[in-house]
Amino acid sequence: DSGVTQTPKHLITATGQRVTLRCSPRSGDLSVYWYQQSLDQGLQFLIQYYNGEERAKGNILERFSAQQFPDLHSELNLSSLELGDSALYFCASSVAGHGHTFGSGTRLTVV
Amino acid sequence: GDSVTQMEGPVTLSEEAFLTINCTYTATGYPSLFWYVQYPGEGLQLLLKATKADDKGSNKGFEATYRKETTSFHLEKGSVQVSDSAVYFCALLYNNNDMRFGAGTRLTVKP
């Protein structure tokens, strides 16, 4: 157990729908990162939050949004889903200088 | 900007063979360097890291040495096992909190 908790583990939904993925960071970690991993295995950085504030944006679609709450958990909202959004979505948290700790991911399947 | 380049896969080896996965980096400063491993169906786990030049990170029989002169952090293992089959990611830490990941190298070890 890495200490980073992601729910749900699996999600199957239809095109056009909206889903919310949840991440609880490791205790004490202020930064939360979201990544998308497609079948070709590469990691795409989506967005980072630090202590409730958006800090960096990567290749995140306008249909996707995220937030970090006062208790530091984060949610990634994916809307108007398309078949191509099917992927693994990972959350990671970090403390300065020590690299990322990853959750086990949410596998999203859009049908 | 800072970046990481790792050898393309997939890599297929027989059990007990020697493994090298090449990783080179580009950075303006002196980043910390990491190898992460992703076993099938799981999230990324930290395998080893090195924080300064000439440091050697090691774990589970894997080793990597931070070479500033060649800007490299190659992953090696003397005798791979079937259980080492996974995707391996090289990464660097910059700005004390942000990471850049390589594209990942899939390793398959056959009995």
Side-chain angles (χ1 to χ4, degrees):
Chain A
D1 181 8
S2 68
V4 179
T5 304
Q6 287 189 250
T7 56
K9 291 193 181 304
H10 302 278
L11 200 48
I12 301 175
T13 190
T15 54
Q17 294 298 304
R18 172 190 169 93
V19 297
T20 297
L21 313 184
R22 182 187 168 101
C23 170
S24 294
R26 211 172 45 162
S27 178
D29 288 358
L30 300 180
S31 282
V32 170
Y33 303 77
W34 286 98
Y35 290 86
Q36 180 191 58
Q37 186 179 40
S38 55
L39 280 177
D40 68 357
Q41 90 197 14
L43 277 175
Q44 294 293 323
F45 167 65
L46 296 178
I47 196 164
Q48 179 206 354
Y49 280 82
Y50 178 82
N51 202 20
E53 300 288 329
E54 181 185 302
R55 187 165 174 270
K57 262 187 175 179
N59 300 320
I60 188 166
L61 300 173
E62 286 192 10
R63 300 184 285 110
F64 296 179
S65 64
Q67 53 185 328
Q68 186 179 27
F69 294 87
D71 66 352
L72 300 179
H73 92 270
S74 178
E75 293 181 355
L76 178 67
N77 300 297
L78 314 177
S79 62
S80 303
L81 284 166
E82 302 174 359
L83 295 178
D85 297 327
S86 296
L88 274 166
Y89 291 84
F90 287 106
C91 166
S93 70
S94 73
V95 61
H98 290 273
H100 287 5
T101 300
F102 283 82
S104 57
T106 294
R107 181 176 294 280
L108 173 66
T109 303
V110 182
V111 298
Chain B
D2 294 6
S3 65
V4 168
T5 302
Q6 63 181 103
M7 67 184 283
E8 294 185 14
V11 175
T12 303
L13 296 173
S14 297
E15 209 164 22
E16 299 184 4
F18 184 85
L19 168 71
T20 300
I21 301 178
N22 290 338
C23 172
T24 57
Y25 68 90
T26 301
T28 52
Y30 300 99
S32 295
L33 300 173
F34 301 76
W35 278 99
Y36 283 81
V37 58
Q38 183 181 26
Y39 298 105
E42 299 183 13
L44 279 73
Q45 304 172 25
L46 177 64
L47 181 59
L48 54 85
K49 71 176 187 181
T51 58
K52 61 183 188 297
D54 299 325
D55 266 3
K56 177 185 283 188
S58 61
N59 186 24
K60 299 181 180 180
F62 291 89
E63 293 183 341
T65 301
Y66 190 140
R67 303 279 189 206
K68 190 176 74 168
E69 62 277 10
T70 55
T71 61
S72 65
F73 192 57
H74 304 323
L75 182 68
E76 297 181 336
K77 186 175 186 182
S79 176
V80 293
Q81 305 300 312
V82 172
S83 57
D84 295 326
S85 297
V87 180
Y88 293 82
F89 291 89
C90 185
L92 65 79
L93 179 71
Y94 69 104
N95 291 342
N96 213 31
N97 223 359
D98 300 325
M99 299 197 79
R100 285 277 187 266
F101 289 87
T105 302
R106 182 177 300 280
L107 169 67
T108 301
V109 180
K110 297 191 172 181

